[in-house]
Amino acid sequence: MASWWPGHDLGKWAIVLAVVLFLLQKPWDWFQALATSRLKDWWAARSIASLSKRIAHQERALKEFESLPLVSETEAYILRGISVIGLLCVFIFQMVFVAIPLIVIGIKPHIQGKVSTGEVIFIYCCAIAGFLMGLLFEKKVFNKIDEYRRPRSPYVRQDLEESIKALKLELATKLNITPTSST
């Protein structure tokens, strides 16, 4: 009976490592998307100079965003929905291409006997190619949708304005100045 736990064969360890890293990829992307701006704000708050640079950077970004036409709330939700559904489909596509080799290699010895090394390499190469195609498709299509949607979204602009206000308040606190109501 074939064992699912890889022995000393480095090829099996490589596919196990690839699957583990793949499964950790999406949660890291989600964490990164949620925490990046907060982490940058926290890092900038360490000193007055870095805080001023962060405020200037965010004000430039807001100015660039405001130069673009604003999409309606409905359009922003539609674009976000298309992006999320597409990313879900890519994720499922990638999972299928990772699961198929494991299933084939696990079932084939019971059906035809031993699996040859060439067949294993071919199956793994197909899995890796499918996984990479999914990543490429995700980067080329759905990131373009987000690049279009993000600067035009009213929510992103509002979040950016609130972040600038919070950073200015932090800067005023560091400088011991009473904050003004202007942005």
Side-chain angles (χ1 to χ4, degrees), residues 64-113:
E64 289 175 15
F65 287 5
E66 288 174 343
S67 70
L68 298 170
L70 189 66
V71 296
S72 71
E73 191 176 319
T74 306
E75 291 169 332
Y77 279 127
I78 289 171
L79 289 172
R80 181 70 180 150
I82 290 170
S83 181
V84 168
I85 290 170
L87 290 175
L88 179 65
C89 291
V90 168
F91 182 72
I92 291 169
F93 174 78
Q94 289 173 330
M95 287 305 294
V96 165
F97 267 91
V98 169
I100 286 175
L102 298 175
I103 292 169
V104 168
I105 290 172
I107 292 176
K108 191 166 183 192
H110 299 294
I111 298 172
Q112 292 180 340

Short mmCIF file of all heavy atoms in Angstrom, two decimals, residues 64-113:
data_model
loop_
_atom_site.label_atom_id
_atom_site.label_comp_id
_atom_site.label_asym_id
_atom_site.label_seq_id
_atom_site.Cartn_x
_atom_site.Cartn_y
_atom_site.Cartn_z
N GLU A 64 -4.14 62.34 -6.29
CA GLU A 64 -4.18 61.53 -7.51
C GLU A 64 -5.53 60.84 -7.66
O GLU A 64 -6.09 60.77 -8.75
CB GLU A 64 -3.07 60.49 -7.50
CG GLU A 64 -1.69 61.03 -7.68
CD GLU A 64 -0.61 59.97 -7.54
OE1 GLU A 64 -0.94 58.76 -7.57
OE2 GLU A 64 0.55 60.35 -7.39
N PHE A 65 -6.05 60.30 -6.55
CA PHE A 65 -7.35 59.64 -6.59
C PHE A 65 -8.44 60.62 -6.98
O PHE A 65 -9.35 60.29 -7.74
CB PHE A 65 -7.68 59.02 -5.23
CG PHE A 65 -6.89 57.78 -4.90
CD1 PHE A 65 -5.89 57.30 -5.72
CD2 PHE A 65 -7.16 57.08 -3.75
CE1 PHE A 65 -5.16 56.16 -5.42
CE2 PHE A 65 -6.45 55.93 -3.42
CZ PHE A 65 -5.45 55.47 -4.26
N GLU A 66 -8.38 61.83 -6.44
CA GLU A 66 -9.43 62.82 -6.73
C GLU A 66 -9.37 63.35 -8.14
O GLU A 66 -10.35 63.89 -8.65
CB GLU A 66 -9.34 63.97 -5.72
CG GLU A 66 -9.80 63.55 -4.34
CD GLU A 66 -9.60 64.62 -3.28
OE1 GLU A 66 -8.82 65.57 -3.51
OE2 GLU A 66 -10.22 64.49 -2.21
N SER A 67 -8.22 63.19 -8.82
CA SER A 67 -8.14 63.60 -10.22
C SER A 67 -8.85 62.62 -11.15
O SER A 67 -9.15 62.96 -12.30
CB SER A 67 -6.68 63.76 -10.64
OG SER A 67 -6.05 62.49 -10.71
N LEU A 68 -9.14 61.43 -10.65
CA LEU A 68 -9.85 60.42 -11.44
C LEU A 68 -11.35 60.51 -11.20
O LEU A 68 -11.79 60.93 -10.13
CB LEU A 68 -9.36 59.02 -11.05
CG LEU A 68 -7.88 58.74 -11.30
CD1 LEU A 68 -7.48 57.43 -10.66
CD2 LEU A 68 -7.57 58.73 -12.78
N PRO A 69 -12.15 60.12 -12.20
CA PRO A 69 -13.61 60.17 -11.99
C PRO A 69 -14.05 59.17 -10.92
O PRO A 69 -13.51 58.06 -10.83
CB PRO A 69 -14.18 59.80 -13.36
CG PRO A 69 -13.08 59.11 -14.08
CD PRO A 69 -11.80 59.63 -13.53
N LEU A 70 -15.00 59.57 -10.14
CA LEU A 70 -15.53 58.75 -9.05
C LEU A 70 -16.56 57.77 -9.61
O LEU A 70 -17.40 58.14 -10.42
CB LEU A 70 -16.17 59.66 -8.01
CG LEU A 70 -16.61 59.04 -6.70
CD1 LEU A 70 -15.39 58.56 -5.94
CD2 LEU A 70 -17.34 60.07 -5.86
N VAL A 71 -16.48 56.52 -9.19
CA VAL A 71 -17.51 55.55 -9.57
C VAL A 71 -18.61 55.59 -8.51
O VAL A 71 -18.38 55.96 -7.37
CB VAL A 71 -16.96 54.12 -9.71
CG1 VAL A 71 -15.95 54.03 -10.83
CG2 VAL A 71 -16.38 53.59 -8.43
N SER A 72 -19.79 55.19 -8.92
CA SER A 72 -20.89 55.18 -7.97
C SER A 72 -20.70 54.04 -6.98
O SER A 72 -19.89 53.14 -7.17
CB SER A 72 -22.22 55.03 -8.70
OG SER A 72 -22.34 53.72 -9.23
N GLU A 73 -21.49 54.08 -5.93
CA GLU A 73 -21.43 53.04 -4.90
C GLU A 73 -21.75 51.67 -5.51
O GLU A 73 -21.09 50.68 -5.23
CB GLU A 73 -22.43 53.39 -3.81
CG GLU A 73 -22.35 52.59 -2.57
CD GLU A 73 -23.32 53.11 -1.52
OE1 GLU A 73 -23.48 54.32 -1.37
OE2 GLU A 73 -23.93 52.25 -0.86
N THR A 74 -22.75 51.64 -6.38
CA THR A 74 -23.15 50.39 -7.03
C THR A 74 -22.05 49.86 -7.93
O THR A 74 -21.74 48.66 -7.91
CB THR A 74 -24.43 50.60 -7.86
OG1 THR A 74 -25.43 51.17 -7.01
CG2 THR A 74 -24.93 49.32 -8.44
N GLU A 75 -21.44 50.74 -8.71
CA GLU A 75 -20.35 50.31 -9.58
C GLU A 75 -19.16 49.77 -8.78
O GLU A 75 -18.54 48.77 -9.16
CB GLU A 75 -19.89 51.47 -10.47
CG GLU A 75 -20.90 51.88 -11.50
CD GLU A 75 -20.53 53.19 -12.18
OE1 GLU A 75 -19.86 54.03 -11.56
OE2 GLU A 75 -20.93 53.37 -13.35
N ALA A 76 -18.86 50.41 -7.67
CA ALA A 76 -17.77 49.94 -6.82
C ALA A 76 -18.07 48.54 -6.28
O ALA A 76 -17.20 47.67 -6.26
CB ALA A 76 -17.53 50.92 -5.67
N TYR A 77 -19.33 48.33 -5.85
CA TYR A 77 -19.70 46.99 -5.35
C TYR A 77 -19.66 45.95 -6.47
O TYR A 77 -19.25 44.81 -6.24
CB TYR A 77 -21.09 47.02 -4.72
CG TYR A 77 -21.12 47.52 -3.31
CD1 TYR A 77 -21.96 48.55 -2.94
CD2 TYR A 77 -20.29 46.97 -2.33
CE1 TYR A 77 -21.99 49.03 -1.63
CE2 TYR A 77 -20.32 47.43 -1.03
CZ TYR A 77 -21.17 48.46 -0.69
OH TYR A 77 -21.18 48.92 0.60
N ILE A 78 -20.11 46.32 -7.65
CA ILE A 78 -20.09 45.38 -8.78
C ILE A 78 -18.66 45.00 -9.14
O ILE A 78 -18.34 43.81 -9.30
CB ILE A 78 -20.83 45.98 -10.00
CG1 ILE A 78 -22.33 46.03 -9.73
CG2 ILE A 78 -20.53 45.17 -11.26
CD1 ILE A 78 -23.12 46.81 -10.77
N LEU A 79 -17.77 46.00 -9.24
CA LEU A 79 -16.37 45.71 -9.56
C LEU A 79 -15.71 44.87 -8.47
O LEU A 79 -14.96 43.94 -8.76
CB LEU A 79 -15.60 47.01 -9.77
CG LEU A 79 -15.93 47.78 -11.04
CD1 LEU A 79 -15.25 49.13 -11.03
CD2 LEU A 79 -15.52 46.98 -12.26
N ARG A 80 -16.02 45.17 -7.23
CA ARG A 80 -15.46 44.40 -6.12
C ARG A 80 -16.00 42.96 -6.15
O ARG A 80 -15.26 42.00 -5.94
CB ARG A 80 -15.81 45.07 -4.79
CG ARG A 80 -15.26 44.35 -3.59
CD ARG A 80 -13.78 44.48 -3.52
NE ARG A 80 -13.30 43.78 -2.34
CZ ARG A 80 -12.12 43.23 -2.26
NH1 ARG A 80 -11.30 43.31 -3.27
NH2 ARG A 80 -11.75 42.60 -1.18
N GLY A 81 -17.29 42.82 -6.44
CA GLY A 81 -17.89 41.49 -6.53
C GLY A 81 -17.28 40.66 -7.65
O GLY A 81 -16.99 39.47 -7.47
N ILE A 82 -17.07 41.28 -8.81
CA ILE A 82 -16.45 40.57 -9.94
C ILE A 82 -15.05 40.12 -9.54
O ILE A 82 -14.66 38.98 -9.81
CB ILE A 82 -16.40 41.49 -11.18
CG1 ILE A 82 -17.80 41.69 -11.75
CG2 ILE A 82 -15.47 40.91 -12.24
CD1 ILE A 82 -17.87 42.76 -12.82
N SER A 83 -14.33 41.00 -8.89
CA SER A 83 -12.98 40.67 -8.48
C SER A 83 -12.95 39.52 -7.47
O SER A 83 -12.16 38.58 -7.60
CB SER A 83 -12.31 41.91 -7.89
OG SER A 83 -11.00 41.64 -7.51
N VAL A 84 -13.83 39.57 -6.49
CA VAL A 84 -13.85 38.53 -5.46
C VAL A 84 -14.30 37.19 -6.04
O VAL A 84 -13.70 36.14 -5.75
CB VAL A 84 -14.76 38.96 -4.28
CG1 VAL A 84 -15.04 37.80 -3.34
CG2 VAL A 84 -14.14 40.11 -3.52
N ILE A 85 -15.32 37.20 -6.87
CA ILE A 85 -15.78 35.95 -7.50
C ILE A 85 -14.69 35.37 -8.39
O ILE A 85 -14.44 34.17 -8.40
CB ILE A 85 -17.09 36.19 -8.28
CG1 ILE A 85 -18.24 36.44 -7.30
CG2 ILE A 85 -17.40 34.99 -9.18
CD1 ILE A 85 -19.51 36.91 -7.96
N GLY A 86 -14.02 36.25 -9.13
CA GLY A 86 -12.92 35.78 -9.98
C GLY A 86 -11.78 35.19 -9.19
O GLY A 86 -11.23 34.15 -9.55
N LEU A 87 -11.42 35.85 -8.09
CA LEU A 87 -10.35 35.32 -7.25
C LEU A 87 -10.74 33.99 -6.63
O LEU A 87 -9.91 33.09 -6.47
CB LEU A 87 -9.98 36.33 -6.17
CG LEU A 87 -9.27 37.59 -6.68
CD1 LEU A 87 -9.06 38.57 -5.54
CD2 LEU A 87 -7.96 37.25 -7.35
N LEU A 88 -12.01 33.85 -6.28
CA LEU A 88 -12.49 32.58 -5.74
C LEU A 88 -12.38 31.48 -6.81
O LEU A 88 -11.95 30.36 -6.51
CB LEU A 88 -13.93 32.71 -5.25
CG LEU A 88 -14.56 31.45 -4.70
CD1 LEU A 88 -13.84 31.00 -3.44
CD2 LEU A 88 -16.03 31.67 -4.42
N CYS A 89 -12.75 31.81 -8.04
CA CYS A 89 -12.64 30.82 -9.13
C CYS A 89 -11.19 30.44 -9.37
O CYS A 89 -10.88 29.25 -9.58
CB CYS A 89 -13.25 31.38 -10.41
SG CYS A 89 -15.04 31.55 -10.35
N VAL A 90 -10.28 31.42 -9.35
CA VAL A 90 -8.86 31.12 -9.52
C VAL A 90 -8.36 30.25 -8.39
O VAL A 90 -7.60 29.30 -8.60
CB VAL A 90 -8.04 32.43 -9.62
CG1 VAL A 90 -6.55 32.16 -9.51
CG2 VAL A 90 -8.35 33.15 -10.92
N PHE A 91 -8.78 30.54 -7.16
CA PHE A 91 -8.38 29.74 -6.01
C PHE A 91 -8.86 28.30 -6.16
O PHE A 91 -8.10 27.36 -5.92
CB PHE A 91 -8.93 30.37 -4.73
CG PHE A 91 -8.53 29.66 -3.48
CD1 PHE A 91 -7.23 29.71 -3.02
CD2 PHE A 91 -9.45 28.92 -2.77
CE1 PHE A 91 -6.85 29.06 -1.86
CE2 PHE A 91 -9.10 28.26 -1.61
CZ PHE A 91 -7.79 28.33 -1.16
N ILE A 92 -10.10 28.12 -6.58
CA ILE A 92 -10.63 26.77 -6.80
C ILE A 92 -9.86 26.06 -7.91
O ILE A 92 -9.50 24.89 -7.80
CB ILE A 92 -12.14 26.82 -7.09
CG1 ILE A 92 -12.90 27.24 -5.84
CG2 ILE A 92 -12.65 25.49 -7.61
CD1 ILE A 92 -14.36 27.57 -6.07
N PHE A 93 -9.59 26.79 -9.00
CA PHE A 93 -8.81 26.25 -10.12
C PHE A 93 -7.44 25.77 -9.63
O PHE A 93 -7.00 24.66 -9.96
CB PHE A 93 -8.65 27.34 -11.19
CG PHE A 93 -7.75 26.98 -12.34
CD1 PHE A 93 -8.21 26.16 -13.36
CD2 PHE A 93 -6.47 27.47 -12.41
CE1 PHE A 93 -7.39 25.83 -14.42
CE2 PHE A 93 -5.63 27.16 -13.47
CZ PHE A 93 -6.10 26.33 -14.47
N GLN A 94 -6.79 26.59 -8.80
CA GLN A 94 -5.48 26.21 -8.29
C GLN A 94 -5.57 25.01 -7.36
O GLN A 94 -4.71 24.13 -7.39
CB GLN A 94 -4.83 27.39 -7.56
CG GLN A 94 -4.40 28.50 -8.49
CD GLN A 94 -3.94 29.73 -7.73
OE1 GLN A 94 -4.40 30.00 -6.64
NE2 GLN A 94 -3.02 30.46 -8.32
N MET A 95 -6.57 24.97 -6.53
CA MET A 95 -6.73 23.85 -5.62
C MET A 95 -6.96 22.54 -6.39
O MET A 95 -6.45 21.49 -6.02
CB MET A 95 -7.88 24.09 -4.63
CG MET A 95 -7.57 25.10 -3.57
SD MET A 95 -6.09 24.74 -2.63
CE MET A 95 -6.58 23.26 -1.78
N VAL A 96 -7.73 22.63 -7.46
CA VAL A 96 -7.97 21.44 -8.29
C VAL A 96 -6.65 20.97 -8.91
O VAL A 96 -6.35 19.77 -8.90
CB VAL A 96 -9.02 21.74 -9.38
CG1 VAL A 96 -9.03 20.67 -10.46
CG2 VAL A 96 -10.40 21.88 -8.75
N PHE A 97 -5.84 21.90 -9.40
CA PHE A 97 -4.58 21.51 -10.01
C PHE A 97 -3.56 21.02 -9.00
O PHE A 97 -2.62 20.33 -9.35
CB PHE A 97 -3.99 22.65 -10.85
CG PHE A 97 -4.40 22.57 -12.29
CD1 PHE A 97 -5.53 23.20 -12.73
CD2 PHE A 97 -3.65 21.84 -13.18
CE1 PHE A 97 -5.92 23.11 -14.05
CE2 PHE A 97 -4.03 21.74 -14.50
CZ PHE A 97 -5.17 22.38 -14.94
N VAL A 98 -3.72 21.36 -7.74
CA VAL A 98 -2.85 20.81 -6.71
C VAL A 98 -3.40 19.46 -6.23
O VAL A 98 -2.65 18.54 -5.94
CB VAL A 98 -2.69 21.80 -5.54
CG1 VAL A 98 -2.02 21.16 -4.35
CG2 VAL A 98 -1.90 23.01 -6.00
N ALA A 99 -4.72 19.32 -6.17
CA ALA A 99 -5.33 18.10 -5.65
C ALA A 99 -5.27 16.95 -6.65
O ALA A 99 -5.12 15.79 -6.25
CB ALA A 99 -6.78 18.37 -5.27
N ILE A 100 -5.38 17.25 -7.94
CA ILE A 100 -5.39 16.19 -8.96
C ILE A 100 -4.14 15.31 -8.88
O ILE A 100 -4.25 14.08 -8.88
CB ILE A 100 -5.61 16.77 -10.37
CG1 ILE A 100 -7.06 17.19 -10.53
CG2 ILE A 100 -5.22 15.77 -11.45
CD1 ILE A 100 -7.36 17.90 -11.83
N PRO A 101 -2.94 15.88 -8.83
CA PRO A 101 -1.76 15.00 -8.74
C PRO A 101 -1.76 14.13 -7.50
O PRO A 101 -1.39 12.96 -7.55
CB PRO A 101 -0.57 15.96 -8.71
CG PRO A 101 -1.09 17.23 -9.22
CD PRO A 101 -2.54 17.27 -8.95
N LEU A 102 -2.18 14.69 -6.39
CA LEU A 102 -2.20 13.90 -5.17
C LEU A 102 -3.20 12.75 -5.27
O LEU A 102 -2.93 11.64 -4.83
CB LEU A 102 -2.53 14.79 -3.97
CG LEU A 102 -1.52 15.90 -3.69
CD1 LEU A 102 -2.00 16.78 -2.56
CD2 LEU A 102 -0.15 15.32 -3.40
N ILE A 103 -4.33 13.02 -5.88
CA ILE A 103 -5.35 11.98 -6.05
C ILE A 103 -4.87 10.92 -7.04
O ILE A 103 -4.97 9.72 -6.79
CB ILE A 103 -6.69 12.60 -6.50
CG1 ILE A 103 -7.27 13.44 -5.37
CG2 ILE A 103 -7.67 11.53 -6.94
CD1 ILE A 103 -8.44 14.30 -5.77
N VAL A 104 -4.33 11.38 -8.18
CA VAL A 104 -3.88 10.43 -9.21
C VAL A 104 -2.76 9.55 -8.68
O VAL A 104 -2.76 8.33 -8.87
CB VAL A 104 -3.42 11.19 -10.48
CG1 VAL A 104 -2.67 10.27 -11.43
CG2 VAL A 104 -4.62 11.82 -11.17
N ILE A 105 -1.80 10.16 -8.00
CA ILE A 105 -0.67 9.38 -7.49
C ILE A 105 -1.14 8.46 -6.36
O ILE A 105 -0.61 7.37 -6.18
CB ILE A 105 0.45 10.32 -7.04
CG1 ILE A 105 1.07 10.96 -8.27
CG2 ILE A 105 1.51 9.59 -6.23
CD1 ILE A 105 2.05 12.04 -8.00
N GLY A 106 -2.16 8.87 -5.62
CA GLY A 106 -2.68 8.01 -4.55
C GLY A 106 -3.52 6.87 -5.06
O GLY A 106 -3.53 5.78 -4.49
N ILE A 107 -4.26 7.07 -6.16
CA ILE A 107 -5.19 6.04 -6.67
C ILE A 107 -4.52 5.12 -7.68
O ILE A 107 -4.80 3.93 -7.70
CB ILE A 107 -6.42 6.72 -7.31
CG1 ILE A 107 -7.25 7.39 -6.23
CG2 ILE A 107 -7.26 5.72 -8.07
CD1 ILE A 107 -8.42 8.17 -6.77
N LYS A 108 -3.62 5.64 -8.52
CA LYS A 108 -3.08 4.85 -9.61
C LYS A 108 -2.38 3.57 -9.17
O LYS A 108 -2.54 2.54 -9.83
CB LYS A 108 -2.12 5.70 -10.45
CG LYS A 108 -1.75 5.00 -11.73
CD LYS A 108 -1.10 5.91 -12.70
CE LYS A 108 -0.85 5.07 -13.95
NZ LYS A 108 -0.01 5.68 -14.88
N PRO A 109 -1.62 3.56 -8.07
CA PRO A 109 -1.00 2.28 -7.68
C PRO A 109 -2.03 1.19 -7.38
O PRO A 109 -1.76 0.02 -7.59
CB PRO A 109 -0.20 2.64 -6.42
CG PRO A 109 0.04 4.09 -6.51
CD PRO A 109 -1.13 4.66 -7.24
N HIS A 110 -3.21 1.56 -6.93
CA HIS A 110 -4.24 0.57 -6.63
C HIS A 110 -4.88 0.05 -7.92
O HIS A 110 -5.43 -1.04 -7.94
CB HIS A 110 -5.31 1.18 -5.72
CG HIS A 110 -4.77 1.62 -4.40
ND1 HIS A 110 -4.27 0.75 -3.46
CD2 HIS A 110 -4.62 2.86 -3.87
CE1 HIS A 110 -3.86 1.41 -2.41
NE2 HIS A 110 -4.06 2.71 -2.63
N ILE A 111 -4.84 0.84 -8.97
CA ILE A 111 -5.48 0.45 -10.23
C ILE A 111 -4.49 -0.28 -11.15
O ILE A 111 -4.78 -1.37 -11.64
CB ILE A 111 -6.06 1.68 -10.95
CG1 ILE A 111 -7.14 2.32 -10.08
CG2 ILE A 111 -6.61 1.31 -12.31
CD1 ILE A 111 -7.65 3.64 -10.62
N GLN A 112 -3.32 0.33 -11.40
CA GLN A 112 -2.40 -0.22 -12.38
C GLN A 112 -1.09 -0.73 -11.78
O GLN A 112 -0.21 -1.14 -12.50
CB GLN A 112 -2.04 0.85 -13.42
CG GLN A 112 -3.20 1.25 -14.29
CD GLN A 112 -2.77 2.31 -15.30
OE1 GLN A 112 -1.79 2.98 -15.12
NE2 GLN A 112 -3.55 2.44 -16.35
N GLY A 113 -0.93 -0.62 -10.53
CA GLY A 113 0.34 -1.02 -9.93
C GLY A 113 1.20 0.19 -9.67
O GLY A 113 0.71 1.27 -9.39
#
